[in-house]
Amino acid sequence: PAPGMESLPEAVLLRILASIPAVDLVLVCRLVCCQWKNLVDGAELWILKCQQEGLTRAESDAENWQNFYFLSKKRKNLIKNPCGEEDLEHWGEVENGGDGWKVEELPGDFGKEFPSEEIHKYFVTSYEWCRKAQVIDLRTEGYWEELMDTTQPKIMVRDWYAGRRDAGCLYELCVKLLSENEDVLAEYKSETVTIPEDNDGSWTEISHTFSSYGPGVRFVRFEHGGQDTLFWKGWYGVRVTNSSVTVEP
């Protein structure tokens, strides 16, 4: 009988397996035989796939190359409509103090352009507190329970805020990691940022990284908001845009 794949040198077999889609490796190839299972579960195959697809990582950081590969491929902003291109679509638990939220075009009156040319709009608050939130279902986004409980990948949160040059304002950010029953397992809450009336209108980034947060995280709740400090009718409060939540490899 002609020799089968089991007769191939392991280095050749690794090259062949590395050309197969990652999901098929885990769900199909891993079940073929003990040799294939060991190769799929091992680091060498995933290091090779990472090299082929330009996913770089320091060898000293290597704990689970398979998880690193999947997290790298999945990495994206989990906040929907972060810049107001769809008005308030996807934002829930909206608190519309004063005249409520409004979406405006950059740079806006007495404002500055955003550091990235890709951002064209922002949300702006009014003369009483305006807040809005999104709840991200991590399983729906493809982050399975074992990954979140065992690997506990870092969860990076970012937001950008600015004031008008002719008005002072307040800004707050609060992000919670929630369990299946929506118990709070970890929380980040910024101070209440006060932007003075004579500010230069520039954009400021705020960020926080959750790590070693323990098992059980299933949802991320992102909430931000603010108001102006002059209580002028209209939209003189804090401006926010380009919010993001990413699960890091």
Side-chain angles (χ1 to χ4, degrees):
M5 287 190 69
E6 66 276 2
S7 65
L8 290 174
E10 190 167 281
V12 175
L13 183 54
L14 277 169
R15 288 281 174 183
I16 294 171
L17 291 174
S19 68
I20 296 172
V23 173
D24 292 334
L25 285 173
V26 174
L27 297 182
V28 180
C29 298
R30 189 175 179 274
L31 306 179
V32 169
C33 64
C34 288
Q35 183 192 20
W36 285 32
K37 178 181 183 297
N38 291 336
L39 291 176
V40 173
D41 289 347
E44 195 171 353
L45 172 61
W46 299 99
I47 291 172
L48 184 56
K49 284 191 74 66
C50 287
Q51 290 172 345
Q52 289 176 344
E53 299 183 35
L55 305 176
T56 58
R57 179 191 203 187
E59 292 284 344
S60 59
D61 295 336
E63 291 185 8
N64 188 318
W65 280 92
Q66 185 182 135
N67 283 348
F68 172 77
Y69 176 87
F70 279 106
L71 286 169
S72 297
K73 298 294 283 186
K74 281 182 172 297
R75 190 177 185 276
K76 65 175 182 177
N77 185 5
L78 301 178
I79 292 284
K80 296 177 174 61
N81 186 26
C83 306
E85 296 290 348
E86 302 171 74
D87 198 42
L88 284 169
E89 188 73 23
H90 303 296
W91 291 96
E93 303 175 60
V94 177
E95 181 180 342
N96 278 310
D99 288 321
W101 287 95
K102 185 183 180 185
V103 175
E104 294 180 346
E105 297 271 351
L106 280 157
D109 293 339
F110 295 92
K112 279 193 174 179
E113 290 288 358
F114 193 76
S116 168
E117 294 181 358
E118 298 175 357
I119 309 302
H120 305 291
K121 295 184 179 182
Y122 59 83
F123 303 92
V124 58
T125 59
S126 190
Y127 59 86
E128 291 179 354
W129 271 96
C130 297
R131 293 182 174 88
K132 58 186 177 70
Q134 275 192 44
V135 177
I136 298 162
D137 185 332
L138 293 169
R139 285 172 300 191
T140 298
E141 297 293 343
Y143 299 98
W144 57 98
E145 295 179 2
E146 182 183 0
L147 175 74
M148 298 308 301
D149 293 347
T150 305
T151 302
Q152 295 177 34
K154 292 178 180 179
I155 299 174
M156 174 72 80
V157 177
R158 293 186 178 92
D159 202 18
W160 288 82
Y161 64 87
R164 293 171 54 118
R165 294 193 302 273
D166 62 343
C169 58
L170 305 176
Y171 166 83
E172 286 182 359
L173 171 66
C174 180
V175 184
K176 299 177 181 178
L177 305 186
L178 307 176
S179 71
E180 180 76 43
N181 299 319
E182 300 191 5
D183 299 318
V184 178
L185 301 181
E187 180 177 6
Y188 168 75
K189 186 167 185 181
S190 73
E191 62 180 357
T192 301
V193 178
T194 302
I195 301 175
E197 186 175 345
D198 59 350
N199 74 91
D200 65 1
S202 62
W203 287 91
T204 299
E205 183 183 33
I206 185 172
S207 65
H208 178 75
T209 301
F210 291 98
S211 61
S212 303
Y213 39 76
V217 172
R218 301 292 178 263
F219 302 95
V220 180
R221 185 182 186 277
F222 179 103
E223 177 185 293
H224 62 181
Q227 67 170 99
D228 79 47
T229 52
L230 300 174
F231 301 97
W232 288 347
K233 183 172 177 59
W235 296 274
Y236 293 83
V238 73
R239 300 166 170 184
V240 294
T241 195
N242 202 32
S243 311
S244 67
V245 172
T246 54
V247 179
E248 300 291 316

